[in-house]
Amino acid sequence: MVTGIVFSPLGLVLVFTAAITPQWREGQARLNMTGPGSLLRSSVKGQGLPDSLLLLRSDGLWETCLQVEHSELKQCWPAAGPYQRDSRVRLAQGLILTSLFLCGTGIVLACVGVRCWTDLPLRGVAATGGLLVVTAGLLSLTALGVYTHNLGILGMSSQGTKFPQLSLHPAGSLYFGWLGSCSQVLGGSALLLSFKRPKCPTCPSCPELPACPACQSFPEISNKPDMNVYEVSC
């Protein structure tokens, strides 16, 4: 139960971090500044501009950013256009949101079931929370798998166009998502294992009994006057 309580919130935080950051994929595109039709070159003549600029593009589930390399010029905007309308991106968005909701609900149930402030936990409630956390982890893994498998063509196949010299590759948010999803599956599985009640230790003198109802019932123990006798119940 302790393992589940630790790893489940950790997975929730990591998946949430991956969901809100715009680094699911990154790409670079070089913008030519020397052509005759370059508006930027013609408007600022004599300023010592380089022949080309390297643009860094990053896409997330809900946000896209564009930055000029080695400068503070960066612009982010909500994802729109063919990328936002891509069915695979929308599927990943829905799976991630459902995963976050199920994981949060599972953690609440697990906290109620573990009941650290009492001696006896509610094992069924804790295991139900673990089942929800495992389901959340599987949903987020599915979303990450779909996005990663189609990473290079998301938002581009429908229009048949690509950015010039743009090379796309996985970015940091994907790794946060993979790590968080695995933590959810691990934590939820640990909570599921807590559904089974541990066996009570048997009395050495009567191994056929599940537990000693009263230690004073065994003469080899009760004959010792200097030993305190306690009744143990599991």
Side-chain angles (χ1 to χ4, degrees):
M1 286 186 175
V2 173
T3 301
I5 288 296
V6 171
F7 279 91
S8 298
L10 176 62
L12 177 63
V13 171
L14 291 174
V15 173
F16 178 76
T17 302
I20 63 175
T21 51
Q23 281 82 32
W24 282 58
R25 69 176 184 179
E26 291 179 346
Q28 299 179 353
R30 190 165 295 277
L31 181 63
N32 190 7
M33 303 288 294
T34 59
S38 176
L39 179 62
L40 183 59
R41 166 68 67 176
S42 60
S43 60
V44 286
K45 294 182 179 179
Q47 298 297 322
L49 290 177
D51 294 337
S52 62
L53 293 177
L54 185 62
L55 302 180
L56 306 178
R57 178 190 175 97
S58 60
D59 294 315
L61 290 182
W62 286 276
E63 192 176 24
T64 298
C65 294
L66 192 65
Q67 181 180 6
V68 179
E69 189 184 32
H70 305 308
S71 72
E72 297 181 358
L73 298 176
K74 184 176 182 180
Q75 181 68 36
C76 295
W77 60 91
Y83 176 79
Q84 175 66 18
R85 294 191 298 268
D86 195 296
S87 59
R88 291 156 295 193
V89 176
R90 300 179 70 88
L91 175 63
Q93 291 174 345
L95 290 176
I96 289 295
L97 290 177
T98 306
S99 171
L100 292 174
F101 174 77
L102 289 180
C103 188
T105 306
I107 291 174
V108 172
L109 288 178
C111 292
V112 174
V114 172
R115 298 199 307 172
C116 299
W117 58 92
T118 62
D119 294 333
L120 298 177
L122 300 175
R123 299 184 180 276
V125 178
T128 303
L131 180 61
L132 292 180
V133 174
V134 169
T135 305
L138 295 177
L139 289 178
S140 56
L141 284 175
T142 303
L144 292 164
V146 171
Y147 192 96
T148 304
H149 181 70
N150 302 281
L151 185 142
I153 60 175
L154 292 175
M156 299 180 183
S157 59
S158 60
Q159 299 294 330
T161 59
K162 293 186 178 181
F163 292 95
Q165 302 177 356
L166 182 63
S167 57
L168 295 171
H169 56 84
S173 297
L174 276 181
Y175 300 117
F176 277 108
W178 287 112
L179 183 59
S181 300
C182 294
S183 298
Q184 288 177 345
V185 174
L186 177 61
S189 300
L191 290 170
L192 276 175
L193 292 177
S194 66
F195 181 81
K196 185 177 180 181
R197 184 182 300 273
K199 294 182 179 180
C200 299
T202 58
C203 179
S205 301
C206 299
E208 70 278 0
L209 295 178
C212 299
C215 292
Q216 62 267 27
S217 61
F218 300 97
E220 62 271 23
I221 298 180
S222 57
N223 290 336
K224 298 180 180 180
D226 56 344
M227 179 179 294
N228 294 327
V229 178
Y230 299 92
E231 182 175 353
V232 181
S233 175
C234 295

